[in-house]
Amino acid sequence: MARQEKPVDVVLVGLGWTNSIMGMELAQEGLDVLALERGPDRDTVPDFAYPKMADELSYGVRYKLMAKPAKSTMTVRHSLTETAVPYRHLGSFLPGEGVGGAGTHWNGHTWRPMPEELRLRSYVEETFGKHIIPEDMTIQDYGVTYEELEPHFDFFDKVMGVSGKAGNLNGKIQEGGNPFEGPRSNEYPLPPLKRTLNDDLFTQAAKAQGLHPFPLPSSNASEAYTNPYGMQLGPCNFCGFCERYGCLNYSKASPQTCILGALKQHKNFAYRTGCDVLKVELADDKKTAIGVTYIDAKGEEVFQPAKLVVLGTFAYNNARLMLLSGIGKPYDPVTNTGTVGRNYAYQMMGGATLFFKDKIFNPFIGAGSNATTVDDFAINQIDFAKEGFIGGSYLLAAQTNGQPIRNLPLPPGTPSWGAGWKKAAKDYYGHSMSISSHGSNMSYRDCYLSLDPNYTDDYGLPLLRLTFDWKDNDLRMTQFMKRKVTSLAQGLSPDALKVAFRELGSHYDVRPYQSTHNVGGAIMGTNPNTSAVNRYQQSWDVHNVFVLGASSFPQNIQYNPTMLVGALAYWSAKAIREQYLKHPGPLVQA
């Protein structure tokens, strides 16, 4: 029999970016808030302190900050006719583990979505006609507009201390910024990071082709900064240990550096680690949640009563918890009914590596978001009808690290081992730069999440099953970007060039790392027949359950998801504070 804990007003499942935000917002409201985190506690000191964190083998290669497949995994297949098999070794994506979640080990690329991306289906139909949307493509509008989210984008900019240069201030285009972005009410809190040689070369190539280069918006602080919560960040020292690492210098925005230190000062906030939530418990009417059941660090089953439940775990875990809890109707791709698990999407990447015998890039001088980028091939800049695809990408030249195990690019034709490999490693370390494409991924009827019928976890519960493969639309998009990247690279006349983009007919491969930008499964919208949560990320079926994070995305944007994830959390928190707490119930009538 489960042990029962003292009731709380709010239980937060997970303690990454979204629930750090929600915890702060609801603690400020005076509610009794409890967060349950599956992994261990983590903080800058002692967990990220130098020199422990600057250990490439432990963190960069052996994934010390990531969820372990032996404890938590999913199964994967390409199509409905295949039997899914477990994801046994981390590769394609790297979910975080512990307090801070994936927000501890990200690079810090901090993009707002384009206004058109939040109403993508409407934009495509109005601009090009609905006939260009493939029959199996299930893109839709978010149900919330850029204009509604702009105050929350602006505040999250300030919370994270984003370094950058605005391109559109209140509708006026600004020199040196992104001229294609949505309007901002304010400049970035901090100026851009200092430039390195790769930035200068990419800027030269981009301007020669009439493009509009600008510094990548970065949550690596360019200067000392104090955010609205009183949290202090130090200037980035370009140590090169961002992606896969916690920041040892208080320079990279994370839940730890930006929110949790202030949140922990609230006496009405508490958190427990080592708590693996199994399900949300529902009342007899199945319309309200009464709390959650979890396994604690001692292996004991515990019931935590709560008036409000907020799911803020990694994107696909949100969908699994909803499916295990009986919240919403599971999605069925055959009948195209149900909503939970619908519209899983990923990210479409590609890139080129340029080698120069006479240029030295000093790759050990790097930061997670040290890059120059162009947005001339973004979603609102492409004629979808003419080009034959829906989607877009930003292109960038980044210098993030020079770690000797993970960052040793070598020219085409280099042997994979032996004296030839050693000579190339000696000759070309520090003599290369990259130009990459970071693109959108649309959603499709047969790309979805479900409970696996064959595999279970340590508690006997079904693993989550991912059914996903690349589609022609997105492969055509990345081939379009391949031509643009290759042209930019050739404009710099490198001594050698290696280009890697997925070709038409490619299948999804779970083994190589691609991105940790998994989205969908509990998507938001205005129609309960095609979305699991409403425009406030509130479950259509269980009104006191809110589901936050990238699980809400109906398809993936062309950018990194963190800014949109955070802004949506603030948007939902505002609705809870101003509407739900006064009149508990559905915020949108079905």
Side-chain angles (χ1 to χ4, degrees):
M1 183 175 180
R3 182 180 81 247
Q4 182 166 320
E5 291 282 359
K6 177 183 176 182
V8 295
D9 294 318
V10 184
V11 63
L12 308 174
V13 182
L15 192 54
W17 271 121
T18 57
N19 272 344
S20 295
I21 290 169
M22 189 61 76
M24 178 64 81
E25 291 286 309
L26 298 185
Q28 289 176 342
E29 196 65 27
L31 300 179
D32 186 17
V33 180
L34 171 67
L36 300 174
E37 168 57 47
R38 179 172 62 188
D41 203 355
R42 300 194 194 278
D43 208 345
T44 305
V45 175
D47 302 285
F48 306 156
Y50 184 84
K52 176 169 59 177
M53 187 50 59
D55 179 346
E56 184 185 5
L57 187 60
S58 293
Y59 294 93
V61 177
R62 294 177 176 163
Y63 306 133
K64 197 170 181 178
L65 295 181
M66 316 308 175
K68 306 300 184 288
K71 294 287 186 182
S72 169
T73 192
M74 66 194 317
T75 65
V76 184
R77 62 179 183 171
H78 286 139
S79 70
L80 276 64
T81 60
E82 296 179 350
T83 299
V85 294
Y87 182 41
R88 295 186 183 277
H89 185 274
L90 294 179
S92 180
F93 46 88
L94 304 173
E97 179 185 57
V99 170
T104 63
H105 68 74
W106 70 315
N107 260 331
H109 298 197
T110 314
W111 292 88
R112 298 184 182 189
M114 286 187 159
E116 293 83 359
E117 291 184 286
L118 296 177
R119 52 184 308 274
L120 182 61
R121 188 169 194 99
S122 294
Y123 169 71
V124 171
E125 291 183 355
E126 293 165 4
T127 310
F128 308 103
K130 65 174 63 177
H131 65 280
I132 76 160
I133 302 175
E135 185 178 357
D136 65 337
M137 185 183 287
T138 52
I139 59 174
Q140 61 187 56
D141 298 352
Y142 279 66
V144 61
T145 66
Y146 179 93
E147 291 74 22
E148 290 173 309
L149 289 181
E150 203 285 330
H152 307 295
F153 291 138
D154 184 66
F155 186 69
F156 199 31
D157 269 343
K158 294 178 172 67
V159 169
M160 290 192 289
V162 182
S163 305
K165 177 69 185 78
N168 183 339
L169 274 177
N170 298 304
K172 295 183 178 179
I173 303 304
Q174 307 294 305
E175 183 69 28
N178 180 3
F180 310 114
E181 69 178 353
R184 298 172 173 273
S185 55
N186 289 291
E187 180 58 89
Y188 284 100
L190 294 174
L193 292 170
K194 295 186 183 303
R195 305 289 85 193
T196 47
L197 178 58
N198 61 294
D199 296 302
D200 295 338
L201 292 176
F202 183 76
T203 297
Q204 169 191 323
K207 286 186 174 180
Q209 296 193 13
L211 307 179
H212 302 79
F214 58 93
L216 177 75
S218 168
S219 284
N220 311 141
S222 61
E223 298 176 355
Y225 178 73
T226 302
N227 78 3
Y229 298 135
M231 299 292 288
Q232 297 178 329
L233 283 79
C236 177
N237 66 0
F238 283 69
C239 76
F241 288 87
C242 282
E243 185 179 20
R244 307 189 186 188
Y245 304 88
C247 184
L248 54 84
N249 202 50
Y250 293 90
S251 302
K252 181 177 70 175
S254 68
Q256 286 88 344
T257 54
C258 297
I259 302 176
L260 288 173
L263 177 56
K264 291 174 186 178
Q265 304 303 310
H266 288 265
K267 296 186 187 307
N268 54 330
F269 171 78
Y271 68 104
R272 302 175 193 148
T273 58
C275 298
D276 202 348
V277 175
L278 305 182
K279 63 184 296 190
V280 179
E281 300 291 352
L282 304 181
D284 291 340
D285 64 3
K286 305 299 181 184
K287 295 181 180 179
T288 54
I290 57 174
V292 301
T293 293
Y294 68 93
I295 304 297
D296 70 8
K298 296 179 180 179
E300 296 179 2
E301 185 174 317
V302 182
F303 171 60
Q304 177 59 62
K307 298 176 183 176
L308 185 65
V309 176
V310 182
L311 303 183
T313 70
F314 192 68
Y316 55 70
N317 286 329
N318 279 346
R320 180 174 185 248
L321 278 171
M322 293 181 75
L323 291 168
L324 292 175
S325 305
I327 298 173
K329 184 178 179 181
Y331 173 67
D332 181 350
V334 177
T335 61
N336 200 25
T337 57
T339 59
V340 182
R342 189 174 189 265
N343 282 31
Y344 172 85
Y346 195 33
Q347 202 92 62
M348 182 59 80
M349 318 287 283
T353 307
L354 297 72
F355 298 88
F356 302 89
K357 295 178 181 177
D358 62 345
K359 292 182 174 62
I360 299 175
F361 292 88
N362 292 329
F364 49 85
I365 301 172
S369 300
N370 168 40
T372 296
T373 184
V374 296
D375 224 7
D376 295 72
F377 309 110
I379 275 175
N380 66 7
Q381 295 302 303
I382 295 176
D383 185 333
F384 297 153
K386 175 185 175 183
E387 301 298 344
F389 63 81
I390 295 169
S393 174
Y394 69 88
L395 310 183
L396 77 161
Q399 183 166 304
T400 61
N401 75 84
Q403 297 160 31
I405 302 174
R406 296 178 50 242
N407 189 351
L408 192 58
L410 299 174
T414 300
S416 59
W417 66 287
W421 180 89
K422 291 179 181 179
K423 184 179 187 305
K426 178 181 177 181
D427 291 345
Y428 282 98
Y429 180 81
H431 288 271
S432 67
M433 64 173 279
S434 66
I435 301 177
S436 303
S437 165
H438 190 286
S440 59
N441 181 221
M442 298 299 108
S443 51
Y444 300 89
R445 179 168 172 169
D446 61 350
C447 293
Y448 72 110
L449 303 170
S450 58
L451 295 179
D452 193 282
N454 301 313
Y455 292 93
T456 59
D457 64 13
D458 289 346
Y459 312 114
L461 299 173
L463 294 183
L464 192 69
R465 180 175 61 184
L466 167 60
T467 304
F468 177 75
D469 205 358
W470 302 119
K471 303 294 185 178
D472 286 348
N473 173 86
D474 307 88
L475 292 168
R476 286 194 295 271
M477 185 275 289
T478 204
Q479 284 295 302
F480 174 90
M481 298 304 164
K482 177 183 178 180
R483 295 191 290 273
K484 304 302 180 184
V485 167
T486 302
S487 176
L488 283 165
Q490 291 172 338
L492 290 172
S493 301
D495 295 302
L497 177 64
K498 182 187 293 184
V499 180
F501 282 78
R502 294 181 189 89
E503 302 294 332
L504 292 175
S506 296
H507 293 285
Y508 174 56
D509 187 344
V510 77
R511 294 169 296 176
Y513 181 72
Q514 291 154 72
S515 88
T516 305
H517 305 158
N518 313 70
V519 308
I523 65 172
M524 61 191 299
T526 57
N527 184 344
N529 293 320
T530 57
S531 57
V533 298
N534 64 26
R535 68 194 302 261
Y536 299 108
Q537 299 183 101
Q538 178 189 38
S539 167
W540 287 106
D541 302 274
V542 183
H543 68 77
N544 61 337
V545 172
F546 286 75
V547 187
L548 311 182
S551 56
S552 294
F553 293 17
Q555 57 275 330
N556 213 347
I557 59 177
Q558 61 208 333
Y559 306 113
N560 309 62
T562 302
M563 171 55 73
L564 180 53
V565 162
L568 285 171
Y570 281 112
W571 163 256
S572 296
K574 183 175 188 288
I576 292 172
R577 295 180 74 169
E578 297 181 0
Q579 301 177 58
Y580 185 84
L581 294 179
K582 296 175 182 176
H583 304 287
L587 295 173
V588 178
Q589 296 302 317

